[in-house]
Amino acid sequence: MESRERYYTIDDIGRLERQPMNMAEKYYLIDGELCVKMSPNHLHGCIASEIARLLGNHVVERGLGRVSIEVGYHPPGERHTVLLPDVAYESWDRAARTPLRTYAPYMPDLAVEVVSSSQTLAETRRKAKVYLRHGTVMVWLIDPERDRAESWTAAEDGAARSEIIDKTGELRGGALLPGFLLPLRRLFSL
């Protein structure tokens, strides 16, 4: 059995973020493991911004919910997992009507993670599985290094499944975001 030096909680993140030496740091937790989210590079930020803009326009025009960037989400009643998706969509069925001044105590319907140079694809896939395990409906992993994306959903048996989409394909919102299509060429030509 793996032993850990420390099992972190949401409260620990709050204390760390308030320390002057850590003010620029962003932390997230996976099952009590403390992780640091590095500042994104320029391409990463441009891709996340474009997704947020297009997704936000679609969501607002249809009154579906809200789109956010780099917000902390944790499963209800769970204090050892907090994730910070680059972009997230919350339907009005799930979202707090007024934005909270704390981490959202629920997981987003859609989480988007742009694979960064400071993180491996395996680490990003691990996050996709954590999102799905805690109720997120769909996860998009955008991989600018390979000019492709992965769309993750939970199968009926609860297992995570993914579809790899190359740069000529498109991300689809499906039943979660009816009518939303995002051609990957739009992202990878920035």
Side-chain angles (χ1 to χ4, degrees), residues 125-145:
R125 285 175 173 157
R126 176 184 180 207
K127 285 198 273 186
K129 292 174 185 174
V130 172
Y131 282 114
L132 294 173
R133 183 176 79 217
H134 290 294
T136 296
V137 177
M138 186 182 299
V139 181
W140 291 339
L141 305 182
I142 311 302
D143 188 350
E145 186 70 28

Side-chain angles (χ1 to χ4, degrees), residues 20 25 51 53 59 66 68 94 105 120 144 147:
E25 301 288 350
I51 293 169
R53 185 181 69 75
V59 166
R66 106 171 25 101
S68 63
R94 190 177 297 215
T120 67
D147 284 349

Side-chain angles (χ1 to χ4, degrees), residues 87-108:
V87 180
Y89 158 65
E90 310 166 23
S91 67
W92 286 129
D93 292 340
R94 190 177 297 215
R97 287 298 171 175
T98 303
L100 305 169
R101 295 183 186 272
T102 63
Y103 293 130
Y106 50 85
M107 298 305 275

Side-chain angles (χ1 to χ4, degrees), residues 57-78:
N57 288 345
H58 183 86
V59 166
V60 169
E61 287 170 5
R62 289 158 183 80
L64 300 174
R66 106 171 25 101
V67 172
S68 63
I69 56 170
E70 295 194 350
V71 169
Y73 291 89
H74 67 90
E78 162 71 65

Side-chain angles (χ1 to χ4, degrees), residues 11-154:
D11 301 322
D12 295 318
I13 290 177
R15 280 191 289 278
L16 284 168
E17 289 176 339
R18 284 189 299 275
Q19 293 176 358
M21 65 188 165
N22 296 331
M23 296 298 272
E25 301 288 350
K26 294 181 185 176
Y27 299 96
Y28 65 96
L29 297 173
I30 296 179
D31 299 325
E33 178 186 339
L34 183 66
C35 306
V36 178
K37 184 169 185 172
M38 303 302 290
S39 294
N41 65 35
H42 192 235
L43 177 62
H44 179 124
C46 289
I47 288 172
S49 177
E50 182 70 359
I51 293 169
R53 185 181 69 75
L54 295 170
L55 193 57
N57 288 345
H58 183 86
V59 166
V60 169
E61 287 170 5
R62 289 158 183 80
L64 300 174
R66 106 171 25 101
V67 172
S68 63
I69 56 170
E70 295 194 350
V71 169
Y73 291 89
H74 67 90
E78 162 71 65
R79 311 272 311 153
H80 299 98
T81 297
V82 177
L83 294 172
L84 301 166
D86 293 308
V87 180
Y89 158 65
E90 310 166 23
S91 67
W92 286 129
D93 292 340
R94 190 177 297 215
R97 287 298 171 175
T98 303
L100 305 169
R101 295 183 186 272
T102 63
Y103 293 130
Y106 50 85
M107 298 305 275
D109 293 275
L110 169 68
V112 181
E113 292 281 354
V114 180
V115 181
S116 67
S117 56
S118 65
Q119 199 168 49
T120 67
L121 184 56
E123 290 169 324
T124 310
R125 285 175 173 157
R126 176 184 180 207
K127 285 198 273 186
K129 292 174 185 174
V130 172
Y131 282 114
L132 294 173
R133 183 176 79 217
H134 290 294
T136 296
V137 177
M138 186 182 299
V139 181
W140 291 339
L141 305 182
I142 311 302
D143 188 350
E145 186 70 28
R146 293 171 186 84
D147 284 349
R148 69 180 195 191
E150 296 180 14
S151 181
W152 287 73
T153 56

